Amino acid sequence: MSKEIFDVAIIGAGVVGSAIARKLSSYNLKVALLEKECDVSFGVSKANSGIIHGGFHHGSEYLKSKLEVQGNRMFDRLEQELHFPFRRCGIMVAAFSVEEMKTVEQLYMNGVNNKAVGIEMCNRSRMLSLEPKLNDDVVGGLYAPAGGIIEPYRFVFSLVESALKNGVKLFTEFKVTSAEHNSNGYGIVSEDGKKIESRWVVNASGLFADEVSGIFNAEEFKITPRKGEEFLLDRNSAARTEHVIFPVPDHVSKGILVIPTVEGTTMLGPTAIPQDSKEDVSTTAINLKMVFSSARRMVPSISGRDIITSFTGLRPVLESGDFYIDVSAKQPNLIQVAGIQSPGLTAVPAIAEYVKDLLKKDGLVLTEKSSYDPTIDKLPRMRTISPVEADELIKSDPAFGEIVCRCESVSEAEIVAAVKNGHTTLDGIKFYTRAQMGRCQGGFCTDRIIKIIQRETGLSYEDITKRGKASWILEDKIGDLEVNSYGNME
Amino acid sequence: MKKEMICISCPMGCRITAEWENDNDIKVTGNKCPRGIVYGREEILSPRRVVTATIDINSSSLGRIPVMTTGTVPKGIIDSLLNRIYKMHLETPIARDDIIMKNIDDTGIDLIATRTVTT
Amino acid sequence: MKEIKVDTLVIGGGSAGMAAALEIAERGFSVTIAERENSMGGILNQCIHNGFGLHHFKEELSGPAYAEKFIDMVDSSKIKVFLDMTVMDIEQTTDDLTAYGLSRDNGMVKFSIKTVVFANGCRERNRGSIGTPGTRPSGIFTAGLAQRLVNMEGFIPGKECVVVGSGDIGLIMARRMTWIGSKVKAVIEIQPYPAGLTRNIVQCLNDFDIPLYLSHVVGEIHGRDRVESIDVIPLENGVEQKDKSFNIKCDSLLLAVGLVPDNELAQKIGITINPETNGPVVNRQLMTGQNGIFACGNVLHVHDLVDFVTEESERCGRYVADYLDNKKPADQYKTTPGKNVKYLVPNYYSPKEDNKFYLRTMIVKNRAELVVKVNGKEITRKKLNHIQPSEMISFSIPGGKVENISELHNNILEVQIV
């Protein structure tokens, strides 16, 4: 396929790979971003909780703590440049016993040592005045005002859009299955026989970082998927809080959170259950009950009636519990970026800087690109604008006047923009626009979205999928099948 | 002979009983209206159903036009009728109650459009 | 921005909206209908099967034909209709109501109005609402979406499907899938009795030997990309018998697991919602807790038959006209569901005027009785042949029938099923 030799090939277009790609796009480099799925952000990143952490969960001895605090501070500028939904709503940790308050003190000390901004200890009344929906039984807790929330997939989409604008080449459905070191660097071959050449390689392949490392004969390590089930509540739920609410963590995870998502819904979760399969993203009935009882302990008004959907994400966990970001000691020109679990999303802007520095240290020459433009266009969203603005917008493009998704007020123009940005599956459009993400979960708009994809791409209905591969939606039309409904009538 | 069944002539769903010595003398009981008698007899002699379906149409607003039989037709012809309907293609304009297929298989029953499609 | 002054804005041009608008226009008031789709008729347009109109038109029509009879009446009336229009917001000040609706052709339109009728129907419950565990492949459709894809677009959503829910929508879709050449492998129903009409069990399932699993639930969905199979678990006394679960191979799942009034806009503007119906709390005149805002049809509570929607909405239209005429309503008192009653609509009654009620029971029973009491005294009693939760019950209390109104009591009208 591509005859050009890339300077850097990044394997994995999740949030980590995309942020690195965008960072590198500001230099005079040829960068390839390789993704095994049919769209970016379709792995670990799409089921992320979207928390921008407050810098208090881990001790300062961890690399992830340092990058978390650095990354957190970089989000305001990123939001201005990339327009993804982001809000510093603040994070609270709610303690329900004197014993739990001891752990909260530890968290506070972590935060102070990590130089987290604005962190404070709160007594009961301070907790309740900050967050009146908390359970009255709260005894105290922690408040981290710099914490916040984003839409993780929208963040990835924006990073990739910016990277592509600045010359990065994206290869989707490129599952790396073999690699050879040659005089140019690496020849990287996909499952279906496509090949690209690159001088450096960044392994940012999430759950599969261990397997990709193996393909390159580099370090041996094991990524253990840790399953996290989440439940989404209707935007009219009375239980929506102002802040992200954490319980006091245990040694395995940060616990079940109540998350007021930046787009107005409320999310509960995630669970934290280690498993072997990197594919199994099924949800279970038992965990639903567990998540609800845990979340209700903090916010009693949470109601099962408000559930609109559930989903599962897998975190890529290394045995060390820390990030592993380093130049490979076994193979030349290879950077490992593995084990990026929580607070990975928060740390990502800092990870991109860190990886850029590692590449430089490893010999990659970086000169700033004069044409680099860090900003992308802001797409208007019908849901968030005034009637007057909406009227103007429809005059400029009548497709804004066609509301396709009634639950989330998404217009046809927004769906067309998603398609034009390369998101041509139902899930891709869902994550880009929020259409199908509301309370009816696509019941009213799926058929209209299929028609728009067909019109904009020329694809036939058989080729439209939920998320690539064999996730087809419609295979036949009436008349294709012979009707034999009553069997043989006597 | 005796057969218990549920009348489907309307949403009431009366539980009716048909009793008969020969095909010319079928006695129906349990019905709350005269349609129950007709249904009970037919279900013994030759079960019939109303058929609804859609036909491909060259409309800008609608992919398929809904159609319906004007009365019940014998069950035995329904599969063949549907397979024929699905091979048809209609051109606009079509008005509601327009006859799409007259006297289906000599049953005396027509297939009519149940929606108007002008363009 | 276009500005329009009109007496009433009806949100939704389906069976409810059209019936209400026609009555209001009949009384000489100016009415506008805002309809989201490119034609009026609402969900009736995809319900191409017969069985509509037996009560109202005394003939058996398809859904589109029932709708078209009303569309014809609207077209020949003075009602102004905006198609492809979505109402985005409503603002209420002390005397004035303002609504904003947008469409491709009109941009954003500002409606200055005296009254609003919510007639925008209901939506389907989905996988999230019933919390079915398992993978998240393609091939899971709500029955209504599948019905639209089949009947309006001509697609076949799957060759081998399982229907979840034995309400009429599930049964009708089982027959439809069979009639387009798909194989329906089973209908799964959580209750121990079928939720749909008996005649639909006969003509939609028995005709095709489709198995109906009563007291069963979908335990888990399998398939990474597309649905490959489902686990079905029997219930005994309401408890899942996991050891008796079995697997059905299928490439699609149609969910007919209930409908919910679509009241997002009403909730947004602070209208009180009845948690039993998910529709607004309304008085005898079907007016919500906010002056000038009315609701009728499936947005008020989910009906079984469109004929009932029409009846309720025509009445609603007359009440709106009374309101516009400044006709002062008589004193009203609360109504309440008593023994074995799930809900009762409306939430208020007027002893001096005629009152029409719709209710749903919580029990299955032959030869039941409906008992109405006010201040502990029985007002009336009605014999019911067969009742079940999925079948709506209606009754009327004529004006003057309730005689024991007293300042010493709360005068609440309680309805029981015994």
Side-chain angles (χ1 to χ4, degrees):
Chain A
M1 53 192 293
S2 181
K3 284 205 180 83
E4 64 185 317
I5 297 164
F6 290 97
D7 294 307
V8 185
I10 300 155
I11 303 174
V15 69
V16 175
S18 302
I20 295 168
R22 178 183 185 254
K23 183 72 229 172
L24 296 181
S25 75
S26 67
Y27 300 97
N28 289 305
L29 294 171
K30 289 179 185 165
V31 180
L33 181 58
L34 313 181
E35 171 55 50
K36 73 177 170 60
E37 300 296 326
C38 65
D39 203 345
V40 302
S41 189
F42 267 30
V44 169
S45 300
K46 99 171 162 179
N48 186 291
S49 305
I51 310 286
I52 300 305
H53 286 282
F56 56 82
H57 268 111
H58 309 282
S60 55
E61 68 276 22
Y62 287 100
L63 172 62
K64 62 183 179 183
S65 298
K66 188 179 121 200
L67 295 175
E68 174 188 350
V69 174
Q70 280 176 15
N72 179 307
R73 292 186 192 133
M74 296 164 81
F75 270 89
D76 302 277
R77 181 163 168 198
L78 281 168
E79 183 206 10
Q80 282 170 17
E81 292 170 347
L82 300 174
H83 320 296
F84 53 88
F86 166 58
R87 198 158 65 89
R88 282 198 196 276
C89 59
I91 290 175
M92 298 175 73
V93 178
F96 289 92
S97 67
V98 180
E99 288 68 37
E100 284 194 341
M101 277 308 285
K102 300 214 166 94
T103 312
V104 173
E105 278 173 49
Q106 294 249 305
L107 298 179
Y108 176 75
M109 288 315 294
N110 281 343
V112 171
N113 290 336
N114 294 338
K115 301 190 173 58
V117 180
I119 194 160
E120 60 172 278
M121 292 287 289
C122 306
N123 73 0
R124 178 176 179 276
S125 66
R126 170 93 175 131
M127 289 294 282
L128 288 170
S129 80
L130 282 167
E131 188 58 66
K133 286 178 184 169
L134 274 178
N135 188 339
D136 272 355
D137 294 342
V138 69
V139 298
L142 184 81
Y143 176 45
I149 39 176
I150 67 170
E151 279 211 323
Y153 30 86
R154 285 271 294 281
F155 180 43
V156 180
F157 292 158
S158 291
L159 287 167
V160 172
E161 193 181 330
S162 170
L164 298 187
K165 184 179 177 181
N166 290 298
V168 171
K169 292 218 169 129
L170 171 67
F171 299 86
T172 51
E173 293 181 321
F174 194 112
K175 183 182 177 183
V176 176
T177 47
S178 68
E180 44 157 35
H181 195 245
N182 58 30
S183 55
N184 293 325
Y186 290 97
I188 307 166
V189 183
S190 75
E191 193 169 34
D192 54 355
K194 288 177 286 197
K195 188 177 176 186
I196 68 150
E197 307 238 316
S198 179
R199 294 166 60 218
W200 265 269
V201 169
V202 175
N203 174 14
S205 44
L207 284 169
F208 302 91
D210 49 357
E211 291 167 41
V212 168
S213 185
I215 288 169
F216 283 84
N217 289 316
E219 281 77 3
E220 281 181 29
F221 54 87
K222 184 170 160 45
I223 301 283
T224 306
R226 191 189 286 156
K227 190 174 194 168
E229 290 180 46
E230 312 235 27
F231 297 86
L232 197 66
L233 307 185
D234 193 284
R235 60 170 71 249
N236 280 333
S237 167
R240 184 176 158 86
T241 51
E242 284 298 315
H243 309 82
V244 178
I245 313 294
F246 280 76
V248 173
D250 59 29
H251 61 283
V252 182
S253 78
K254 299 185 175 98
I256 303 296
L257 329 182
V258 177
I259 306 163
T261 73
V262 70
E263 289 281 14
T265 50
T266 302
M267 198 153 73
L268 311 178
T271 56
I273 299 159
Q275 65 177 29
D276 292 327
S277 168
K278 292 177 178 177
E279 301 277 349
D280 175 11
V281 287
S282 59
T283 50
T284 54
I286 290 169
N287 290 339
L288 168 84
K289 290 197 184 107
M290 192 278 280
V291 166
F292 263 77
S293 63
S294 304
R296 255 196 217 117
R297 181 166 168 248
M298 299 190 294
V299 181
S301 52
I302 287 167
S303 159
R305 291 169 69 111
D306 293 332
I307 303 180
I308 53 179
T309 189
S310 62
F311 58 89
T312 292
L314 299 175
R315 311 173 186 83
V317 180
L318 277 171
E319 212 175 330
S320 69
D322 203 353
F323 299 163
Y324 165 40
I325 310 176
D326 212 341
V327 177
S328 169
K330 282 185 77 176
Q331 292 293 336
N333 295 18
L334 175 66
I335 313 289
Q336 304 273 25
V337 189
I340 313 298
Q341 56 153 325
S342 177
L345 181 69
T346 313
V348 131
I351 291 173
E353 291 285 340
Y354 193 84
V355 169
K356 180 256 303 176
D357 291 340
L358 286 177
L359 283 163
K360 191 176 175 188
K361 209 171 79 185
D362 203 37
L364 181 68
V365 177
L366 302 176
T367 58
E368 283 183 14
K369 196 189 283 176
S370 57
S371 62
Y372 176 69
D373 179 358
T375 61
I376 58 171
D377 290 339
K378 185 174 184 180
L379 178 71
R381 307 263 167 183
M382 290 307 279
R383 199 166 63 72
T384 55
I385 61 177
S386 73
V388 176
E389 287 170 314
D391 193 49
E392 290 300 314
L393 208 52
I394 298 166
K395 275 186 196 132
S396 70
D397 179 357
F400 280 107
E402 187 91 37
I403 298 297
V404 175
C405 166
R406 56 177 74 172
C407 305
E408 297 291 313
S409 301
V410 180
S411 68
E412 184 176 315
E414 291 158 68
I415 291 168
V416 170
V419 175
K420 290 201 168 138
N421 268 300
H423 309 295
T424 54
T425 63
L426 288 183
D427 275 3
I429 285 170
K430 173 163 87 178
F431 291 119
Y432 190 87
T433 65
R434 296 189 67 76
Q436 315 158 71
M437 212 180 259
R439 60 180 67 77
C440 92
Q441 290 283 298
F444 284 119
C445 62
T446 301
D447 63 309
R448 295 174 80 165
I449 293 170
I450 289 172
K451 275 194 207 159
I452 296 169
I453 301 174
Q454 282 189 263
R455 189 188 69 208
E456 295 296 318
T457 61
L459 285 172
S460 168
Y461 61 89
E462 300 118 302
D463 300 326
I464 292 169
T465 63
K466 180 168 161 63
R467 50 166 175 266
K469 295 185 190 133
S471 64
W472 54 278
I473 314 290
L474 302 162
E475 229 178 15
D476 303 283
K477 290 202 102 168
I478 292 179
D480 289 352
L481 306 181
E482 185 79 10
V483 181
N484 184 16
S485 61
Y486 292 96
N488 291 322
M489 299 289 299
E490 70 270 34
Chain B
M1 290 208 279
K2 185 174 170 179
K3 191 177 175 185
E4 293 187 351
M5 58 190 117
I6 291 153
C7 176
I8 62 167
S9 303
C10 84
M12 281 290 290
C14 295
R15 284 165 201 282
I16 57 174
T17 308
E19 287 176 274
W20 70 100
E21 300 296 326
N22 60 64
D23 286 357
N24 298 322
D25 183 25
I26 299 170
K27 212 180 143 215
V28 177
T29 52
N31 55 303
K32 293 198 180 70
C33 84
R35 281 185 296 176
I37 300 172
V38 177
Y39 176 81
R41 284 193 180 139
E42 278 182 359
E43 203 64 7
I44 300 301
L45 297 172
S46 159
R48 298 169 74 94
R49 298 287 181 263
V50 169
V51 175
T52 60
T54 59
I55 298 178
D56 188 36
I57 189 164
N58 71 328
S59 158
S60 57
S61 57
L62 199 66
R64 317 268 305 176
I65 182 165
V67 293
M68 175 172 144
T69 54
T70 50
T72 56
V73 297
K75 269 189 185 177
I77 71 161
I78 292 177
D79 287 344
S80 135
L81 173 63
L82 286 168
N83 284 319
R84 277 177 279 163
I85 285 174
Y86 296 153
K87 288 194 178 69
M88 292 173 73
H89 175 81
L90 297 175
E91 302 282 326
T92 56
I94 288 180
R96 174 162 51 96
D97 293 341
D98 275 2
I99 294 174
I100 306 299
M101 206 187 273
K102 196 155 179 59
N103 189 17
I104 304 162
D105 296 356
D106 289 326
T107 54
I109 298 292
D110 301 331
L111 186 73
I112 56 165
T114 68
R115 181 172 183 173
T116 301
V117 183
T118 47
T119 53
Chain C
M1 191 164 42
K2 205 179 267 185
E3 293 192 25
I4 293 175
K5 250 191 153 78
V6 62
D7 291 325
T8 306
L9 176 68
V10 176
I11 302 174
S15 47
M18 290 191 288
L22 282 164
E23 290 293 323
I24 299 165
E26 175 75 26
R27 293 266 292 268
F29 296 103
S30 59
V31 192
T32 291
I33 295 177
E35 165 57 47
R36 269 194 259 247
E37 299 287 325
N38 63 8
S39 69
M40 286 188 290
I43 235 63
L44 283 171
N45 285 330
Q46 66 185 56
C47 300
I48 63 156
H49 54 281
N50 57 312
F52 300 90
L54 277 166
H55 293 253
H56 192 81
F57 291 113
K58 310 291 177 221
E59 59 177 318
E60 193 156 347
L61 301 164
S62 76
Y66 187 99
E68 205 168 296
K69 282 181 175 252
F70 280 91
I71 294 171
D72 290 346
M73 288 188 264
V74 170
D75 284 347
S76 55
S77 75
K78 285 184 179 161
I79 299 167
K80 165 90 180 148
V81 180
F82 285 96
L83 296 176
D84 295 309
M85 175 172 279
T86 303
V87 175
M88 303 292 281
D89 212 353
I90 294 175
E91 287 168 4
Q92 190 170 35
T93 56
T94 1
D95 325 290
D96 268 336
L97 274 171
T98 309
Y100 294 93
L102 60 79
S103 76
R104 191 185 279 270
D105 299 336
N106 297 282
M108 186 64 93
V109 181
K110 181 180 177 183
F111 294 97
S112 300
I113 44 190
K114 294 180 187 139
T115 52
V116 169
V117 178
F118 279 109
N120 52 303
C122 52
R123 66 173 190 275
E124 297 180 275
R125 296 177 77 231
N126 52 45
R127 181 181 177 181
S129 338
I130 58 171
T132 308
T135 54
R136 314 196 62 75
S138 69
I140 303 167
F141 300 88
T142 55
L145 171 61
Q147 188 178 48
R148 190 183 171 94
L149 287 165
V150 173
N151 291 344
M152 299 187 73
E153 321 278 352
F155 290 114
I156 298 181
K159 288 189 187 72
E160 295 195 318
C161 70
V162 171
V163 176
V164 185
S166 71
D168 289 316
I169 302 166
L171 300 176
I172 295 286
M173 276 315 290
R175 178 178 61 184
R176 181 58 59 199
M177 294 302 289
T178 312
W179 271 356
I180 58 174
S182 299
K183 171 92 182 144
V184 178
K185 301 191 87 171
V187 175
I188 315 286
E189 169 59 53
I190 189 169
Q191 300 288 354
Y193 48 86
L197 296 169
T198 317
R199 82 163 185 166
N200 285 335
I201 300 286
V202 174
Q203 61 183 354
C204 299
L205 302 188
N206 299 355
D207 269 7
F208 314 111
D209 298 324
I210 296 170
L212 169 61
Y213 293 99
L214 298 173
S215 298
H216 282 69
V217 293
V218 178
E220 200 170 328
I221 297 169
H222 301 284
R224 192 188 67 168
D225 297 325
R226 176 80 189 190
V227 175
E228 286 164 14
S229 72
I230 57 161
D231 290 343
V232 180
I233 307 178
L235 302 177
E236 281 173 23
N237 301 316
V239 181
E240 290 186 5
Q241 307 295 310
K242 289 219 169 94
D243 52 324
K244 292 179 186 163
S245 84
F246 54 95
N247 184 269
I248 301 179
K249 295 221 172 333
C250 55
D251 65 6
S252 48
L253 200 59
L254 267 50
L255 303 179
V257 292
L259 303 167
V260 199
D262 211 2
N263 271 302
E264 134 106 317
L265 202 50
Q267 276 177 285
K268 202 167 126 188
I269 58 174
I271 288 173
T272 311
I273 301 293
N274 177 356
E276 293 294 350
T277 57
N278 282 303
V281 170
V282 289
N283 68 11
R284 175 191 168 271
Q285 277 74 242
L286 306 182
M287 188 166 85
T288 68
Q290 298 199 17
N291 271 339
I293 302 183
F294 296 75
C296 60
N298 284 345
V299 78
L300 179 56
H301 60 122
V302 176
H303 298 59
D304 312 339
L305 295 180
V306 68
D307 303 73
F308 296 159
V309 169
T310 300
E311 184 282 321
E312 180 180 275
S313 305
E314 286 179 340
R315 244 178 335 111
C316 181
R318 292 193 289 275
Y319 298 143
V320 172
D322 288 347
Y323 177 91
L324 289 166
D325 265 338
N326 288 317
K327 198 176 144 195
K328 203 171 155 39
D331 288 347
Q332 297 197 17
Y333 304 97
K334 280 187 180 165
T335 65
T336 190
K339 194 188 280 183
N340 299 324
V341 178
K342 168 90 173 144
Y343 75 74
L344 185 64
V345 172
N347 307 77
Y348 290 84
Y349 76 106
S350 165
K352 292 183 181 143
E353 296 168 299
D354 294 348
N355 300 275
K356 168 100 185 186
F357 296 95
Y358 286 109
L359 67 92
R360 273 183 204 279
T361 179
M362 300 174 80
I363 57 169
V364 181
K365 195 176 178 186
N366 284 315
R367 284 184 293 280
E369 277 190 297
L370 180 150
V371 181
V372 181
K373 288 183 174 173
V374 174
N375 298 332
K377 182 179 171 252
E378 187 172 315
I379 300 301
T380 185
R381 185 178 278 261
K382 183 184 173 184
K383 284 194 164 43
L384 302 166
N385 207 4
H386 172 85
I387 54 163
Q388 63 181 53
S390 58
E391 286 180 37
M392 209 162 80
I393 299 166
S394 70
F395 70 97
S396 300
I397 306 274
K401 179 90 181 170
V402 182
E403 293 169 325
N404 59 331
I405 295 296
S406 149
E407 280 177 25
L408 301 172
H409 297 97
N410 57 21
N411 302 319
I412 291 177
L413 181 144
E414 183 185 317
V415 179
Q416 306 176 342
I417 297 281
V418 293

